[in-house]
Amino acid sequence: MKYKIICSCGHEIIIDVYGETLKHEKKLLFYRENECPDCLIRSLEKQEFMKSLPSLVGSDKQIRWALQLREKHINLLRRSYEESCCNDELLWLIFFVAKLTDASSFINAEMSGSSILGFYSNLYRSKNIN
Ligand SMILES: [Zn+2]
């Protein structure tokens, strides 16, 4: 079903949402709370993007490691996004990952054994859009 949404940046986008209608509201809320793809790309391209990310929660050792992993994983997701010829879902996934504050999330992604993209996609689906 197609929905017209005003994103947090004030721009209007059209989103196609699949699945049970009852779950649509939660998905739409997620898009409303985020910026539109154009604005997200602009934030991502800014030099200070990595520095603007939130502080992490965990032990000192976990945080030190997770900070390195966060940068590595975001760069990796960004490459997937560019290779996907700009799939907006991947762009939202990048920003979902960028807003994670739990050091263990990044460590679990690294240790999961599956693909980083697969790990975060599952997390994204379970936390936001389910
Ligand atoms: Zn926008």
Side-chain angles (χ1 to χ4, degrees):
M1 203 186 291
K2 282 197 161 70
Y3 293 93
K4 221 184 248 183
I5 301 201
I6 310 279
C7 292
S8 68
C9 54
H11 297 131
E12 191 178 88
I13 57 168
I14 291 172
I15 288 285
D16 212 352
V17 183
Y18 306 95
E20 288 173 48
T21 315
L22 273 174
K23 291 177 180 170
H24 288 193
E25 199 47 47
K26 204 173 171 191
K27 294 184 186 182
L28 297 179
L29 183 69
F30 174 77
Y31 295 118
R32 278 191 208 109
E33 284 174 347
N34 278 281
E35 295 185 317
C36 73
D38 289 345
C39 288
L40 291 180
I41 290 167
R42 272 198 291 277
S43 315
L44 204 55
E45 281 169 352
K46 282 186 192 142
Q47 282 287 312
E48 64 267 30
F49 175 74
M50 288 292 184
K51 284 180 208 141
S52 69
L53 301 181
S55 314
L56 299 181
V57 180
S59 70
D60 286 351
K61 201 177 157 199
Q62 281 180 322
I63 290 172
R64 238 176 293 133
W65 191 21
L67 285 172
Q68 293 170 13
L69 293 176
R70 177 164 70 178
E71 188 159 343
K72 175 180 152 190
H73 294 173
I74 288 175
N75 285 329
L76 203 136
L77 293 172
R78 203 178 156 170
R79 261 200 308 282
S80 303
Y81 167 71
E82 283 157 3
E83 283 162 10
S84 75
C85 293
C86 306
N87 173 345
D88 289 345
E89 283 292 333
L90 273 173
L91 197 54
W92 276 300
L93 180 64
I94 294 171
F95 279 81
F96 166 74
V97 172
K99 284 176 192 163
L100 292 172
T101 53
D102 215 345
S104 60
S105 299
F106 300 98
I107 295 168
N108 290 339
E110 182 73 10
M111 305 297 281
S112 68
S114 64
S115 79
I116 301 289
L117 178 61
F119 178 89
Y120 286 125
S121 298
N122 287 335
L123 193 65
Y124 172 69
R125 256 181 253 132
S126 68
K127 286 203 177 172
N128 277 288
I129 319 194
N130 215 332

